[in-house]
Amino acid sequence: MNWCRSVQSLVKSAFSGKIRQESSNYAQLRYMSRVKSRHTAPRHFWMKKERARYPEELSSENEAFLREVVSDRYESPLRHHPPAAPLAYTPGVRRCGLVARKIAVQPIWLSNGKYVNTTLLHVADNHVVGYVPPEMLNQNEVVRRRWKEQYRPLAGLVVGADQEDPTKFTKEYANMFLEAGIMPTKKLTRFTISPEAALAPGTRLRATHFQVGDYVDVYAKTRERGFQGVMKRWGFAGQPATHGATKTHRRPGGIGSGAQKSRVWPGQKMPGHMGGQYRNLRGLKILRINTKHDIIYVLGHAVPGDHNDYVLIHDTVLPLRRRKEPGTVITDEEAAQLPEDIFHPDVHQMAAPSIVF
């Protein structure tokens, strides 16, 4: 039992902040399920986003004057200097992703008659807000070791989606968008990219950032389920419904061990909070792109999140599903000349004949 006492003392010292550092070696603890990993309170370094609204009692002339001042203040420098085209897919280069909303699930028929479900992701008003160089991004030593900065330095690209009225946000949050020349956005996220894939602040990103046939990864928060039992949370079969079973129909049963190890093991499947965690769904194929409304159709219906939730889309990291050849760049002028819908060759279009000889 000496090892058990030593582990208990190490856990107590970890929570009390008394872990001792010796020659830049940190004492590490393995992840245990009994340690709380869900944090509902915001981090201490997060900036306050929304401000309290109060009746300002402005006249119509003052409101028109404020709208004019806001439009001049957030005027994008790219209106007079056209931005460079976004970087096309290049093997070995990590480029920026997109922020989209999960809006619906729609069926699609393939050319061979197969019926598949697709998830519609609406790329809503994406703009580049800022660029974070590698020397400023990788200041954390743990992150630096994880990303192996000495072999592959990574930078950051801040992207915002869904512009809103600046009067709804705090002054500190709204000032972050002055360099980009866009209105403050509801959603603000950061993508880790290669330094050569950087984009100028104010550059707009559309659904044509990807091509039909590409494989992408979708990162989002799962649907909130609340406190659930073991049958819904873990898929337990439950206990008998009759033959003497009394008030144990949906209970888990035994949760401990016998003999000398009479305790509940860490990681035991028990009732608890379900959902509300960020998950990655990898290797989704793009079957259709709507260029008019910037909607991406990805194969499958298991994209995390509820209706109208934000999701992050980026090139897949699966080695067998990456593109082997470089992609093509589609500028805004070329996107205006594209058809409204771009289909994958395997997708059956409803306007086409159903029987091909």
Side-chain angles (χ1 to χ4, degrees):
M1 300 298 291
N2 294 330
W3 66 271
C4 185
R5 294 195 186 97
S6 62
V7 170
Q8 291 178 356
S9 61
L10 184 58
V11 171
K12 292 180 180 178
S13 62
F15 287 115
S16 60
K18 298 180 180 179
I19 294 182
R20 186 162 51 91
Q21 177 182 356
E22 299 179 357
S23 64
S24 69
N25 294 328
Y26 297 92
Q28 296 182 357
L29 292 175
R30 295 184 61 184
Y31 173 78
M32 293 177 289
S33 62
R34 61 175 174 265
V35 179
K36 183 179 179 181
S37 60
R38 185 184 302 274
H39 302 280
T40 56
R43 301 293 183 178
H44 66 280
F45 54 83
W46 281 9
M47 184 184 303
K48 186 178 179 181
K49 184 176 179 180
E50 298 179 354
R51 69 178 184 88
R53 303 300 301 272
Y54 57 91
E56 299 177 350
E57 299 180 358
L58 298 177
S59 61
S60 58
E61 292 80 5
N62 290 337
E63 291 182 356
F65 175 73
L66 287 179
R67 286 194 295 267
E68 183 180 354
V69 171
V70 167
S71 62
D72 295 339
R73 180 179 176 85
Y74 292 95
E75 183 180 3
S76 175
L78 300 179
R79 296 178 182 175
H80 309 288
H81 304 281
L87 181 69
Y89 177 79
T90 305
V93 176
R94 180 184 293 188
R95 62 174 185 161
C96 175
L98 298 176
V99 182
R101 284 182 181 269
K102 177 182 176 182
I103 58 176
V105 175
Q106 178 177 328
I108 281 184
W109 282 263
L110 303 181
S111 301
N112 56 4
K114 186 179 179 180
Y115 165 92
V116 294
N117 281 323
T118 59
T119 304
L120 279 65
L121 305 177
H122 179 214
V123 182
D125 195 17
N126 281 211
H127 287 83
V128 177
V129 177
Y131 172 73
V132 184
E135 56 272 11
M136 295 183 60
L137 181 69
N138 304 335
Q139 293 181 351
N140 191 343
E141 185 177 354
V142 177
V143 177
R144 192 176 301 176
R145 290 199 303 266
R146 184 186 306 168
W147 288 351
K148 300 180 180 180
E149 183 183 349
Q150 63 272 22
Y151 302 108
R152 185 183 60 175
L154 295 176
L157 200 66
V158 182
V159 178
D162 287 340
Q163 301 184 41
E164 265 290 350
D165 186 7
T167 59
K168 296 183 179 180
F169 305 100
T170 60
K171 181 179 65 175
E172 293 78 11
Y173 182 79
N175 289 339
M176 298 171 56
F177 301 87
L178 292 178
E179 181 184 0
I182 61 175
M183 298 291 183
T185 60
K186 294 181 181 179
K187 178 67 174 179
L188 195 65
T189 186
R190 186 188 68 186
F191 294 96
T192 54
I193 63 171
S194 302
E196 56 268 23
L199 298 175
T203 304
R204 183 176 181 182
L205 301 175
R206 308 179 66 95
T208 52
H209 184 72
F210 299 104
Q211 296 182 8
V212 170
D214 291 350
Y215 289 91
V216 296
D217 296 344
V218 179
Y219 179 76
K221 182 184 289 188
T222 58
R223 186 178 298 178
E224 192 72 41
R225 303 288 185 178
F227 194 96
Q228 298 294 335
V230 292
M231 293 185 66
K232 185 177 181 64
R233 192 185 185 195
W234 300 110
F236 282 18
Q239 300 192 39
T242 57
H243 295 281
T246 304
K247 297 182 180 180
T248 59
H249 311 292
R250 299 182 66 88
R251 290 191 175 184
I255 60 173
S257 304
Q260 297 180 355
K261 300 178 181 179
S262 300
R263 64 190 180 94
V264 179
W265 284 81
Q268 177 68 32
K269 295 180 179 180
M270 299 180 68
H273 194 105
M274 181 179 177
Q277 295 183 347
Y278 285 95
R279 290 291 180 264
N280 244 321
L281 191 60
R282 305 190 184 278
L284 301 182
K285 188 176 183 180
I286 298 179
L287 297 180
R288 177 181 174 184
I289 294 178
N290 185 282
T291 59
K292 180 180 180 180
H293 302 286
D294 286 334
I295 299 177
I296 299 177
Y297 295 69
V298 296
L299 181 63
H301 60 275
V303 173
D306 205 346
H307 176 74
N308 210 31
D309 282 354
Y310 286 106
V311 301
L312 306 183
I313 313 172
H314 55 87
D315 294 317
T316 184
V317 298
L318 301 180
L320 299 181
R321 296 195 177 185
R322 296 177 186 172
R323 290 173 59 102
K324 301 299 186 296
E325 67 281 354
T328 59
V329 179
I330 299 178
T331 60
D332 292 341
E333 293 78 7
E334 296 175 352
Q337 301 176 0
L338 290 175
E340 181 176 347
D341 289 296
I342 304 176
F343 294 91
H344 191 271
D346 295 340
V347 175
H348 171 71
Q349 303 182 28
M350 294 303 174
S354 59
I355 301 177
V356 179
F357 296 96

